[in-house]
Amino acid sequence: MNNPGTPTFDQLRIFLAIVDTGSFAAAGRRLNRAVSVISYGIANLEAQLGLTLFEREGTRKPQLTVAGRALLSEARAISLGIDGLRAKVKGLLDGLEAEIDLAVDVMLPTERLGKVLRTFAVEFPTVQLRLHAEALGAVTAMVLDRKAIVGISGPLAAGVDGVECIAAGSIPMVPVAAPDHPLGRMDHIPPGAGRDYTQLVLTDRSPFTEGQDYSVMSPKTWRLADLGAKHALLREGIGWGNMPLPMIEPDLVSGTLVRLAMPDHPGGTYRFAGIWRRDIPPGPAASWLLDQFVALGAGDRELDGMGDI
């Protein structure tokens, strides 16, 4: 009977670094180790397990063997488990935070934000809070750059390496224009009509949105970094675009904006996520904030799609 040895966490980190970077040299740079140390660590891991994990002959890059591929998911699970354990311990050791930087997506309804922060002030009177309102990928960028410990982000945070996400509700996005805008005067908007008029589009400077458009229909666009400015320009009849329904409901009631029944651009759902860096866990007060946003968002009704931004 073959009984494998017990690998160390450092050996598994080396194994995963080689897989992720594609070479022993790149793994050494990531871990700040000499290539000889990387090679020695993998040799020891293979000796511990009694398996060859990489094919080293006849290839410029180390390729996983069948055994290496079979063990990869287990190694990742162990690594994530250790990260989670260290994060939990750090939170316990740190205790209650003296201050918190919270970044929120500008699409988040102000009523929901105010409700959470009003209760936060009562629950944590000694904790100072700095609030940052950002658009699109800028919330995730702030968390990754350690400028915010937690964030309430839009859907662009999903799948970002190093960021943990938890669903925190959603809002409907609807296409609107001023009543005197050509689209606003149409009883029946034909497919493709939106392409003939200026579309107002929210944008930001984060790397997560660079060079990307989200459901932008018209070749004529004005790009705005401020949701309030987009709201004001829509009411002035300068263009059309999607807006979060909670923000423009008073306009729909008063008639300063009209909802556009666009058959090829009906709007959709903009989903929120509570986010934090995997290696910098939120403390008690920040965790409380995340829990509140998650709880309030649990009953949100979703539409199909995300709509333009």
Side-chain angles (χ1 to χ4, degrees), residues 62-99:
Q63 301 293 323
L64 283 171
T65 62
V66 173
R69 289 195 297 272
L71 295 179
L72 180 58
S73 62
E74 297 294 337
R76 287 202 189 281
I78 292 170
S79 178
L80 289 173
I82 294 294
D83 286 344
L85 175 64
R86 294 179 68 237
K88 181 68 72 175
V89 171
K90 185 178 188 302
L92 294 172
L93 291 175
D94 287 349
L96 186 63
E97 308 94 322
E99 58 186 27

Side-chain angles (χ1 to χ4, degrees), residues 114-198:
K115 182 176 182 180
V116 171
L117 296 188
R118 182 169 61 249
T119 308
F120 178 86
V122 175
E123 294 287 330
F124 301 96
T126 64
V127 179
Q128 298 184 47
L129 185 136
R130 285 190 291 266
L131 178 65
H132 310 267
E134 301 288 347
L136 306 176
V139 174
T140 302
M142 286 201 73
V143 171
L144 279 174
D145 293 340
R146 298 180 172 87
K147 295 177 181 177
I149 188 67
V150 290
I152 304 300
S153 171
L156 299 182
V160 175
D161 188 37
V163 172
E164 295 284 2
C165 297
I166 183 170
S170 62
I171 53 168
M173 300 286 290
V174 297
V176 295
D180 60 351
H181 186 276
L183 289 174
R185 294 197 299 265
M186 293 183 187
D187 293 329
H188 302 285
I189 301 175
R195 291 193 291 269
D196 298 328
Y197 303 97
T198 299

